[in-house]
Amino acid sequence: VSKGEEELLLSCSDIRQRLIESSNKLQDLSVAHTSRSNKTLSTLESSIASSKEKMAAMVSSASEALYAARNTQSQARAAHDELIQQWKVSSLDASNYIEYRSKDESK
């Protein structure tokens, strides 16, 4: 019986030692996984922040371009309005002059 107990004790000690080794390997894997996960999360957060900055710059650039286009369009519209107004005045002046000359010649 003593020999059986001794073999059982050795077997349990061997199993215990293998469990300790497996536990240590699992702990090392867990530490490595945590480290890589943290590094991946940090890289992801950095990429997201960079993307947000680029998007904000792109939106700002588009807004500035639209504002400049609106101003250019307003200036062109004002110039056209001024030209039309000058043409109108010139046409009225010419019409009045023609009418005046016509009346003057009919006398």
Side-chain angles (χ1 to χ4, degrees), residues 13-105:
S13 292
D14 182 51
I15 290 171
R16 183 172 185 260
Q17 184 60 37
R18 285 190 282 161
L19 285 172
I20 289 171
E21 290 171 4
S22 293
S23 175
N24 289 340
K25 286 180 184 177
L26 285 173
Q27 187 174 7
D28 290 344
L29 289 173
S30 177
V31 168
H33 178 267
T34 301
S35 173
R36 285 190 179 128
S37 294
N38 289 339
K39 184 178 178 183
T40 301
L41 285 174
S42 176
T43 302
L44 183 61
E45 288 171 351
S46 176
S47 295
I48 289 171
S50 175
S51 294
K52 283 181 180 179
E53 289 173 7
K54 288 177 183 175
M55 293 275 287
M58 190 170 64
V59 167
S60 176
S61 176
S63 293
E64 288 173 7
L66 289 172
Y67 181 75
R70 185 180 70 188
N71 284 342
T72 301
Q73 185 181 28
S74 294
Q75 290 172 357
R77 186 177 295 126
H80 289 148
D81 289 346
E82 178 65 25
L83 186 62
I84 289 169
Q85 187 62 31
Q86 288 174 0
W87 177 79
K88 182 179 175 183
V89 168
S90 176
S91 294
L92 286 172
D93 287 346
S95 177
N96 288 338
Y97 179 74
I98 292 169
E99 185 180 348
Y100 169 77
R101 292 289 299 205
S102 173
K103 286 180 180 178
D104 191 40
E105 287 179 8

